């Protein structure tokens, strides 16, 4: 089995095309769309402000997934027969196209391809994909978004992109979600904040922040209990996992790397505090042109860990 050559992505980056994956996620052959876990790719990327290439994330995750087992040793759960990969949402990423049309396309895909009881796993793509996915999944009962990230993503308008002051970017996504009326956002692992975002955070009671400094100082035991207490009022939790929450030592291939991040072990320990209430999640901001497979492998393993722990929590 030949390991994928991530350096070859420079050619696709220049040609602005996305390579076709050689396999489904974890090489799963299931075609039954009624299975409980539904994985799909969202190769969407606009206005990236630091590194470009997040649209290759779904491709890289599938390619690397060939080398990861579907069985989890910690839980003794195998998710192979519980999961179906329904492919990618077709997105042009052309700056000439109406991006709102593409966001609506993502939202409609979620509406049309998932039943109410199915559990979606979205492979990004930049972080803006959380907005249309969340809109497609809005539930009747009170719920919460658990947001793991190095950044708050609370700008009202983001000035550091080619389209200055754009309202819909990876850095404004949770400001837009707050405007939709979400009950609570809990942001974990934060360590890079603009004063404008911080002012808004202090004025908005529906946002809770646990910084990476809090986690390192207080430990995963204390923070796990804090997350559990914050989640008590809510019937469901949607997880949005920006891979830059991890320290660049573990996840170098992300769009906006930040030092002093959390470790995969810390995430695994925190996972126990919220996996039971999960209704779905996304994994975003993987940037394969800046990866050698380390970050993609972490993404795949994290997806498997989340699914196995969620599956075990049901019994």
């Amino acid at each position: 089995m030949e390991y994928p050559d991530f350096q070859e992505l420079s050619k696709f980056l220049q040609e602005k095309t996305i390579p076709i994956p050689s396999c489904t996620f974890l090489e799963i052959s299931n075609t039954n769309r009624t299975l409980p876990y539904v994985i799909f790719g969202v190769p969407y990327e606009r206005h990236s402000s630091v590194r470009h290439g997040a649209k290759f994330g779904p491709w890289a995750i599938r390619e690397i997934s060939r080398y990861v087992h579907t069985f989890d040793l910690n839980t003794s759960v195998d998710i192979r027969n519980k999961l179906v990969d329904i492919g990618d949402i077709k997105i042009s990423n052309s700056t000439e196209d109406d991006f709102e049309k593409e966001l609506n396309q993502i939202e409609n895909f979620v509406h049309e391809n998932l039943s109410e009881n199915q559990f979606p796993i979205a492979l990004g793509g930049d972080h803006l994909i959380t907005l249309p996915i969340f809109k497609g999944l809005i539930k009747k009962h009170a719920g919460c978004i658990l947001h793991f990230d190095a950044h708050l993503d609370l700008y009202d308008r983001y000035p550091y992109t080619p389209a200055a002051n754009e309202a819909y970017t990876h850095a404004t996504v949770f400001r837009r979600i707050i405007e939709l009326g979400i009950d609570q956002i809990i942001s974990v692992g934060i360590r890079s904040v603009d004063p404008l975002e911080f002012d808004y955070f202090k004025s908005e009671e529906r946002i809770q922040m646990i910084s990476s400094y809090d986690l390192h100082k207080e430990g995963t035991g204390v923070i796990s209990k804090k997350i559990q207490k914050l989640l008590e009022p809510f019937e469901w939790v949607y997880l949005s996992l920006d891979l830059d929450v991890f320290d660049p030592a573990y996840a170098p291939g992300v769009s906006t790397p930040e030092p002093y991040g959390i470790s995969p072990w810390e995430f695994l320990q925190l996972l126990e505090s919220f996996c039971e209430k999960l209704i779905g999640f996304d994994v975003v901001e993987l940037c394969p042109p800046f990866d050698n497979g380390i970050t993609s492998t972490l993404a795949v393993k994290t997806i498997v860990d989340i699914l196995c722990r969620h599956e075990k929590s049901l019994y």
Side-chain angles (χ1 to χ4, degrees), residues 2 9 15 44 98 113 152 165 168 191 195 221 243 272 285 299 310 315:
E2 186 178 351
L9 279 176
E15 295 173 357
Y44 179 93
D98 182 354
N113 288 277
L152 281 172
N165 295 315
Y168 290 89
R191 55 195 185 275
L243 291 167
E272 302 291 345
E285 299 292 347
H310 179 265
Y315 302 101

Side-chain angles (χ1 to χ4, degrees), residues 196-256:
L196 293 174
E197 293 180 290
F198 193 60
D199 287 343
Y200 179 74
F201 158 73
K202 289 188 294 183
S203 70
E204 178 51 73
E205 62 182 14
R206 288 175 292 170
I207 307 171
Q208 298 289 330
M209 178 174 65
I210 299 170
S211 72
S212 64
Y213 308 109
D214 296 330
L215 180 56
H216 284 286
K217 182 179 178 181
E218 299 180 32
T220 54
V222 171
I223 297 301
S224 290
K225 290 177 182 177
K226 186 176 291 187
I227 292 174
Q228 285 178 324
K229 188 170 182 59
L230 288 170
L231 294 179
E232 277 179 3
F234 306 109
E235 295 191 28
W236 56 263
V237 176
Y238 180 83
L239 170 66
S240 185
L241 175 60
D242 187 327
L243 291 167
D244 70 24
V245 73
F246 296 112
D247 192 88
Y250 306 104
V254 296
S255 301
T256 314

Side-chain angles (χ1 to χ4, degrees), residues 56-75:
F56 299 116
W59 171 85
I61 288 173
R62 288 191 178 97
E63 290 296 309
I64 287 291
S65 73
R66 289 181 289 165
Y67 307 96
V68 178
H69 293 296
T70 59
F71 176 79
D72 175 59
L73 181 61
N74 268 334
T75 58

Side-chain angles (χ1 to χ4, degrees), residues 35-168:
L35 289 171
Y37 300 105
V38 181
I39 195 162
F40 57 95
V42 192
Y44 179 93
E45 179 180 23
R46 280 185 189 274
H47 308 319
S48 292
S49 52
V50 180
R51 292 168 161 181
H52 299 270
K55 65 184 178 182
F56 299 116
W59 171 85
I61 288 173
R62 288 191 178 97
E63 290 296 309
I64 287 291
S65 73
R66 289 181 289 165
Y67 307 96
V68 178
H69 293 296
T70 59
F71 176 79
D72 175 59
L73 181 61
N74 268 334
T75 58
S76 297
V77 171
D78 190 333
I79 48 127
R80 177 171 296 279
N81 295 321
K82 301 278 188 176
L83 175 68
V84 60
D85 184 344
I86 62 173
D88 285 354
I89 302 175
K90 289 181 171 44
I91 295 170
S92 72
N93 284 300
S94 170
T95 54
E96 297 175 359
D97 289 345
D98 182 354
F99 77 92
E100 289 188 9
K101 179 181 177 181
E102 292 192 339
L103 294 183
N104 289 334
Q105 187 179 348
I106 297 169
E107 180 183 347
N108 291 336
F109 181 93
V110 173
H111 268 306
E112 294 166 6
N113 288 277
L114 285 104
S115 70
E116 187 174 350
N117 296 323
Q118 285 182 304
F119 186 107
I121 306 101
L123 311 178
D126 79 33
H127 214 153
L128 186 57
I129 71 166
T130 304
L131 175 62
I133 292 170
F134 176 71
K135 288 173 72 176
L137 289 174
I138 285 179
K139 304 288 183 180
K140 296 177 183 177
H141 306 294
C144 173
I145 290 182
L146 189 55
H147 164 220
F148 279 76
D149 203 322
H151 314 89
L152 281 172
D153 294 345
L154 285 176
Y155 283 94
D156 184 34
R157 298 290 187 275
Y158 191 55
Y160 307 116
T161 60
N165 295 315
E166 176 58 63
Y168 290 89

